[in-house]
Amino acid sequence: MARGAMSDDRLLQLVRTERQNSIGFENDADLSASRAEALNYYKGEMPDVPALANRSKVVSSDIADAVETLLPDLMEIFIGGDDVAVFLPIGEEDEDAAGQETDYINHVVFSENPGFMILYTMFKDAMLEKTGIVGFRWERSEDISEERFKGKAQIEMALAAQSGEVSEVETTVDDYTGQTLYDFTYRRTVTTNRCVVETVPPSDFTVAADTVRLGETTYCAMRSRPRAQELVADGIDPALVEKLPAHRIRADDQGIEEARDGAGETRSVLASAGSSDGLRVVETVTHFLRVDADGDGKLEIVRVLTGAEDTVLLDRETVERIPYAAITPFIVTHRFYGRSIADCLGEIQRIKTALMRMLLDSGYFALNQRVEVAMDRVSSFTISDLLRNEPGLPIRSKSGDAVRPIGAGGLGFDPEAALEYFSTVAEQRSGIVRNAQGLNPDTLHDTASGAMALMTMAQKRVRMIARIFAETGIKDLYLGVHAVIRENATEVCKVRLRGKWTPIDPTTFGERSDMSIEVGLGAAGRVQDQATMAQVSAMTEKIVAEQGGVDGPFVTAKNVYNVIKRMYEKLGIKTPELFVTDPATAPPAAPKPPSPEMQKVMLGAENDKQKILLDHQLKMQQAALEFELGKYKADQEARARTAAALMGGPAPSLPPVRFGGQVG
């Protein structure tokens, strides 16, 4: 652990001061109260709007409805199709590297970490508690497995020793074969290095008051509540861990913790905090302070791990960056904390709760009207009959005018119309229309264009929130994960990317500072996007037919492949490479058989060729025969002249020779 020019005591003093002046933890009562209120409202509990005795206790669920309506669209925007984030190449030669790094970082976030739940929790925290925060860090862990083997041969024990540690060896002799067998303990240590991504509860995070962008802050801190034995396992000095007191929930935090409960978890935490020894729950604070710790005039980020009250220094080290990313749905310019969906709809939920209670109470009073009783005219049964408010049950009295109904004042307005009005106000404030929450009966009476206009407006608000998330926390998360892996990974790993096992060497990654975030259309917009791609496909097919194939000039095989691939992606298939092959990497295609018409032409040409060849062969044969015939005649004439010369007379004439049907 490196020690700089700044002493530990001075560092503790600085983090204590910065923590006291920061916004978060127990320092801001308004922020804590706002978060507790949002969580209670989301659960349907409104302690600040108490119900009178014997009156309606109904609670409107505007915040929960809005959050649960917005979440599916946001999750589909970032996860339902293309890559969440794409690293941009810095040059033509960087195209392949940027694509591979994009695939690998997405693999780290969504396969090596629970990426879906990370984004879900982050988005939900932001919509309820103003900010959604996620942290990333490099983790090195060792998993030790131990197993006892009995009756193994020497070669088996030797093989085990090559991949682990063999100890406690005992020998035995087999009674039947006389072979020496070995009993031994096999211990294997597996070291895992990976980038860990995890969400941070907003109530356990604090930042300096002048923070706007989290990556540039001077100070931020996160609280954790591990077991004491976990700190020792992480390498913290056991003597320092012993100084940490058991965790106790502060009064300022108890409201948020109880509001988050769904099954009384806070009571269980309080009970487990009293455990002894290594099982006790302690509180630690991880501070990140931008300061000149080495005394060289340069600011650097120091990570300081302390106990709950910042009096015990557990660890310190210099780091490269603030390892957190944060989002907020409605940005307040020049401030870190923005506004949440709960901030927009809290007042609406209170008003609609009051109106719904008025409406129900009005119905209850109509069915259970108050009456005036003349006590001098009642019988012994009158009061008991009045208390039994059952249809058809008579009220007995001495005279018919013992009970007289009391007229109750009316509401003076239409509560249903008021509820409709404030529902419209909620839509205007949050941008989440009822058409997006399910089938609104009024939509059946709207024109198609009017209903589509409402949906389009809602999509614009949702996409704006998604774009804000993308350009802030999501981008910071991906750039941070990329940097952490590039700085800490030391070996090549093999992972499955786009359907293929690919070797990845993070040590060759370049520094990335620019990327593109894909923001889709959400559930409703995806159907429209699929329809658009269908039109593109039909147009491409028509162009291919007009130009007579995929050899251009307007559409090539690569263009057709891109259209098909994009259609698969819009349908939610993330690995279209399993179904279509890129023509650039496809093997040469086998030649196509000729059409029947072409086969006829080729057969006729082949027949003509064979006929010409046959005629040529006949002519060659005839020429050969004529040559042989001439040679034969010349030989016969030579013999006849020789014989005549010997006999002293003229040479005899030779008869004609018939050969091959011809006379020679």
Side-chain angles (χ1 to χ4, degrees), residues 298-575:
K298 296 180 180 179
L299 296 181
E300 54 191 2
I301 302 174
V302 183
R303 172 185 171 273
V304 184
L305 180 64
T306 70
E309 302 301 329
D310 304 329
T311 57
V312 179
L313 179 62
L314 301 176
D315 191 18
R316 62 178 282 183
E317 65 175 334
T318 301
V319 296
E320 294 294 329
R321 63 189 48 79
I322 303 292
Y324 298 107
I327 58 173
T328 186
F330 300 107
I331 292 177
V332 175
T333 55
H334 313 296
R335 292 291 184 270
F336 174 75
Y337 291 104
R339 301 187 71 226
S340 65
I341 295 292
D343 293 335
C344 297
L345 297 180
E347 183 182 24
I348 300 298
Q349 181 161 326
R350 284 190 290 271
I351 293 173
K352 290 182 68 175
T353 296
L355 290 172
M356 291 172 65
R357 289 178 179 178
M358 289 180 190
L359 180 62
L360 293 175
D361 286 340
S362 177
Y364 296 151
F365 283 131
L367 293 176
N368 300 275
Q369 190 175 26
R370 299 182 67 188
V371 296
E372 181 183 5
V373 179
M375 296 303 295
D376 57 338
R377 302 173 184 174
V378 301
S379 69
S380 58
F381 304 103
T382 303
I383 300 300
S384 60
D385 290 344
L386 282 172
L387 295 177
R388 294 181 59 188
N389 189 6
E390 300 176 14
L393 184 71
I395 298 175
R396 292 166 286 184
S397 66
K398 294 181 178 179
S399 62
D401 57 353
V403 178
R404 184 180 58 153
I406 298 176
L411 292 176
F413 66 94
D414 185 356
E416 294 181 355
L419 284 170
E420 174 64 24
Y421 168 75
F422 283 104
S423 295
T424 305
V425 173
E427 293 177 359
Q428 294 172 346
R429 291 189 180 183
S430 66
I432 303 171
V433 299
R434 281 165 288 178
N435 302 69
Q437 300 177 8
L439 180 60
N440 180 16
D442 294 336
T443 303
L444 301 177
H445 306 290
D446 294 339
T447 62
S449 59
M452 184 57 67
L454 287 174
M455 294 299 294
T456 302
M457 288 188 291
Q459 291 173 21
K460 287 182 179 179
R461 296 289 291 270
V462 173
R463 293 192 69 187
M464 175 59 74
I465 294 175
R467 174 55 67 186
I468 291 172
F469 286 175
E471 296 295 334
T472 54
I474 301 299
K475 179 176 288 188
D476 291 344
L477 168 63
Y478 271 72
L479 290 174
V481 169
H482 180 277
V484 167
I485 292 174
R486 179 175 59 86
E487 294 165 0
N488 293 278
T490 58
E491 57 187 15
V492 178
C493 58
K494 205 165 188 178
V495 296
R496 186 175 177 84
L497 303 177
R498 298 189 181 274
K500 299 178 181 179
W501 287 98
T502 307
I504 302 294
D505 186 3
T507 61
T508 63
F509 287 2
E511 185 175 357
R512 300 282 177 187
S513 60
D514 195 10
M515 67 189 313
S516 171
I517 304 293
E518 295 288 340
V519 174
L521 298 176
R526 191 163 299 280
V527 176
Q528 182 179 354
D529 203 16
Q530 292 171 2
T532 302
M533 286 305 303
Q535 293 179 354
V536 172
S537 176
M539 188 179 301
T540 303
E541 183 179 358
K542 185 176 180 180
I543 295 174
V544 170
E546 290 290 337
Q547 69 182 17
V550 293
D551 297 328
F554 300 105
V555 174
T556 65
K558 183 67 173 180
N559 300 138
V560 175
Y561 168 75
N562 289 336
V563 171
I564 298 174
K565 180 182 176 183
R566 181 56 61 90
M567 288 189 65
Y568 275 110
E569 291 172 346
K570 294 305 178 185
L571 290 172
I573 299 174
K574 296 186 177 181
T575 55

Side-chain angles (χ1 to χ4, degrees), residues 36 68 83 119 145 207 232 254 262 298 363 374 406 412 449 511 571 586 612 638-639:
E68 297 303 330
D83 294 328
L119 293 187
S145 61
V207 296
V232 176
Q254 190 165 354
K298 296 180 180 179
I406 298 176
S449 59
E511 185 175 357
L571 290 172
I612 294 172
R639 289 182 180 182

Side-chain angles (χ1 to χ4, degrees), residues 52-82:
L52 299 177
N54 300 320
R55 299 287 185 91
S56 172
K57 296 179 176 60
V58 67
V59 173
S60 183
S61 58
D62 298 83
I63 291 177
D65 293 343
V67 169
E68 297 303 330
T69 299
L70 194 56
L71 268 175
D73 270 346
L74 287 174
M75 295 303 295
E76 189 169 5
I77 283 172
F78 285 99
I79 298 178
D82 302 330

